[in-house]
Amino acid sequence: MNKNSSNIMALAPNTSNKRETVCIFGTGDFGRALGHKLIQSGYPVVFGSRGTQTSSLIPKEAEVLSHAEAAQKAAIIIIAIQRQHYNFLIPLAEILRGKVLVDISNNLKINQYPESNAEYLAQLVPGAKVVKAFNTVSAWALQSGTLDASRQVFVCGDDMEAKQMVMDIVRALGLTPLDQGSLLAAQEIENYPLQLFPMWKFPILLSLGLIAFFFFYCLIRDVIYPYVYENKDYSFFIAISITNRICPILALILLALVYLPGVLAAIIQLYRGTKYRRFPDWLDKWMLCRKQLGLVALAFASLHVLYTLVIPIRSFVRWRISSQTVSQALNNKTEPLDTTNAWLSDSYLALGILGFFLFVLLGITSLPSVSNNVNWREFRFVQSKLGYLTLVLCTAHTMVYGGKWFLSPSSYRWYLPNAYMLSLIIPCTVLVIKFVLVFPCLDKPLTRIRQGWERNPQYSE
């Protein structure tokens, strides 16, 4: 949703200290919560209801009148009633003429009706000025004051003056109005609260698919193969060992997938010689969910750290260490320290620690409360430069961990390589392409293209 217009209007807030009376049709949960918030912000509030008797749930400072009487007392009327009950407004059409009607309703499913509720309201009361607002704020958030997750209020309407009046109320409540344009945007605004993590759908489905693939892959190599050829039961590997292989593999692959669309976009721009042609839809959607991919990758990396910490207390590990100790005692022979393996072990641990530290830093920087306090150059430095460094460290961590098994025939069971080898394909591809793009012969024209230069200017039409 476009936010530019709201930023312009935010520069000119209502400087008048006078608060106009606001009418609320409906005494349900949201109507009462909004009434409380308006009264706290200094607005006189009058409720329009079928029954004019007072209730302990309604704010004591507010009046409760019939719909007609309440409408006559205010220029702004908030309709806190579901769409199916809008018909009672038809007899009030003359009273509502010229009034600002704020539609706050939501539906039970996306695109439930041919037109939005706000457009339907405008058809029922053609003389009123209908504005869509407040449908993304919950009654619980208004009552409890925990508005961090729902501070933005999308606003749309055909009348600019009416829309400005509503946006002034939104600001007075401590919320942030976002002007979405005309009333045609109401359908999209009403669909927004019904979407269940829309930007997380692809990362989560992709993660589930990768989990299923690598789980069965590791199950075949590490459990089924030893049982068939060695008659050993390693089924207990499923709980810790296999899980602790899947987590770092997914963390590395998903982190690489965060940066892969960027290098693909660069290749496409170099090929086209312009930045003014749209990327394919699949690439656009991929680039929009990079933050979510990165956070899911961080979650798997954190799980890998936790699983690694419990390795020393595993029964299998303690049994193996004690068996080796007893074997050396019986043979009266102590295995000398292999300094090469010691270096490799310490190196891959150090690379993993540094990589995870930068991974966490990337995750913290992506939080709105942090990203809003850094400028674009600082944000890009962390997410791009340190992001690629994180990918390099995590890839090196994996390669140092298993580099000695790359050429070992015994590591290929049923001709299947170790799972960590598969995890290196995408990260190494991304790093190689990025390394090539850094060469001046490609970096200079790419920079010029991103600054507006075109090889064939007709593509900008």
Side-chain angles (χ1 to χ4, degrees):
M1 291 187 178
N2 185 15
K3 302 180 182 179
N4 295 333
S5 53
S6 67
N7 295 333
I8 296 173
M9 303 196 90
L11 297 176
N14 185 9
T15 57
S16 173
N17 293 323
K18 183 182 178 181
R19 301 297 195 197
E20 294 185 357
T21 299
V22 177
C23 172
I24 300 176
F25 280 0
T27 55
D29 292 339
F30 190 86
R32 296 195 305 269
L34 188 57
H36 273 290
K37 195 72 176 176
L38 285 167
I39 291 170
Q40 289 175 0
S41 302
Y43 283 92
V45 174
V46 57
F47 282 92
S49 177
R50 290 173 296 179
T52 57
Q53 66 274 16
T54 58
S55 168
S56 59
L57 297 175
I58 296 174
K60 293 182 293 184
E61 300 87 346
E63 285 187 276
V64 181
L65 304 172
S66 66
H67 290 121
E69 291 175 318
Q72 290 173 343
K73 287 201 168 190
I76 299 177
I77 302 170
I78 297 174
I79 313 297
I81 297 169
Q82 293 298 325
R83 171 180 174 140
Q84 57 267 31
H85 304 301
Y86 282 176
N87 288 336
F88 83 94
L89 296 169
I90 298 176
L92 303 174
E94 274 306 311
I95 299 174
L96 299 177
R97 184 174 298 276
K99 305 273 188 181
V100 178
L101 300 187
V102 184
D103 180 74
I104 67 171
S105 63
N106 283 316
N107 294 316
L108 296 177
K109 60 182 181 180
I110 294 176
N111 297 328
Q112 184 173 354
Y113 301 102
E115 71 288 308
S116 67
N117 295 345
E119 290 172 302
Y120 175 66
L121 179 60
Q123 293 170 12
L124 287 180
V125 192
K129 303 171 184 177
V130 177
V131 177
K132 185 74 184 185
F134 292 113
N135 71 304
T136 56
V137 182
S138 69
W140 179 84
L142 286 172
Q143 289 175 332
S144 62
T146 54
L147 289 162
D148 290 341
S150 56
R151 192 169 292 277
Q152 294 180 337
V153 176
F154 301 125
V155 181
C156 73
D158 294 332
D159 189 286
M160 285 298 296
E161 184 180 355
K163 192 160 50 173
Q164 182 63 58
M165 292 170 67
V166 175
M167 294 174 73
D168 287 340
I169 292 177
V170 172
R171 293 189 191 94
L173 298 182
L175 306 174
T176 305
L178 299 178
D179 188 351
Q180 302 303 310
S182 72
L183 206 59
L184 293 173
Q187 187 92 12
E188 183 181 356
I189 294 175
E190 290 172 7
N191 287 337
Y192 182 79
L194 300 175
Q195 298 174 0
L196 184 63
F197 305 116
M199 301 307 297
W200 292 88
K201 185 175 181 181
F202 172 70
I204 290 175
L205 290 178
L206 176 63
S207 300
L208 292 175
L210 290 173
I211 288 173
F213 171 78
F214 281 107
F215 173 78
F216 287 109
Y217 190 90
C218 294
L219 188 69
I220 292 171
R221 276 184 42 86
D222 302 328
V223 177
I224 297 177
Y225 182 90
Y227 184 78
V228 171
Y229 284 94
E230 303 171 11
N231 198 27
K232 293 181 179 179
D233 182 12
Y234 288 145
S235 57
F236 59 89
F237 277 4
I238 294 174
I240 299 292
S241 297
I242 291 180
T243 305
N244 198 30
R245 285 183 186 154
I246 294 173
C247 286
I249 287 172
L250 261 67
L252 183 58
I253 291 176
L254 292 176
L255 179 62
L257 291 177
V258 171
Y259 295 96
L260 180 57
V263 297
L264 292 178
I267 293 172
I268 291 174
Q269 288 178 334
L270 282 170
Y271 174 75
R272 292 174 172 176
T274 180
K275 71 171 185 177
Y276 296 108
R277 291 179 63 186
R278 287 194 59 181
F279 294 123
D281 287 341
W282 58 269
L283 185 56
D284 269 337
K285 294 177 181 178
W286 188 353
M287 295 182 77
L288 287 174
C289 67
R290 286 181 294 179
K291 174 181 176 180
Q292 288 75 17
L293 280 170
L295 291 175
V296 174
L298 176 58
F300 281 112
S302 302
L303 282 175
H304 171 51
V305 171
L306 294 176
Y307 273 107
T308 302
L309 291 175
V310 304
I311 285 178
I313 64 174
R314 293 179 61 199
S315 175
F316 172 71
V317 173
R318 287 188 282 111
W319 168 82
R320 189 170 58 183
I321 293 173
S322 61
S323 296
Q324 292 173 349
T325 303
V326 171
S327 177
Q328 291 184 32
L330 292 175
N331 295 327
N332 196 24
K333 181 181 178 182
T334 302
E335 293 290 337
L337 174 65
D338 188 338
T339 54
T340 301
N341 284 334
W343 261 108
L344 289 174
S345 175
D346 286 1
S347 297
Y348 95 81
L349 288 173
L351 289 168
I353 292 170
L354 292 173
F356 182 69
F357 170 77
L358 291 180
F359 221 144
V360 173
L361 182 62
L362 292 174
I364 293 173
T365 312
S366 68
L367 296 174
S369 57
V370 178
S371 60
N372 290 340
N373 290 312
V374 297
N375 61 39
W376 171 245
R377 187 175 182 183
E378 294 167 342
F379 181 79
R380 188 182 178 193
F381 172 78
V382 173
Q383 294 295 324
S384 181
K385 301 296 190 295
L386 294 186
Y388 274 106
L389 178 59
T390 304
L391 184 60
V392 169
L393 290 173
C394 293
T395 304
H397 166 71
T398 306
M399 296 184 74
V400 172
Y401 167 75
K404 60 184 179 181
W405 293 321
F406 266 100
L407 301 178
S408 174
S410 61
S411 66
Y412 294 84
R413 298 176 177 179
W414 280 331
Y415 303 102
L416 298 176
N418 204 303
Y420 80 90
M421 297 182 188
L422 301 181
S423 71
L424 290 169
I425 296 174
I426 297 178
C428 290
T429 301
V430 172
L431 292 175
V432 169
I433 296 175
K434 183 62 178 178
F435 177 74
V436 173
L437 290 174
V438 170
F439 283 101
C441 59
L442 295 177
D443 183 60
K444 288 183 179 180
L446 181 60
T447 302
R448 291 179 62 199
I449 288 170
R450 289 175 173 174
Q451 290 176 344
W453 175 83
E454 294 181 273
R455 187 185 304 123
N456 298 307
Q458 67 268 21
Y459 285 136
S460 63
E461 297 177 359

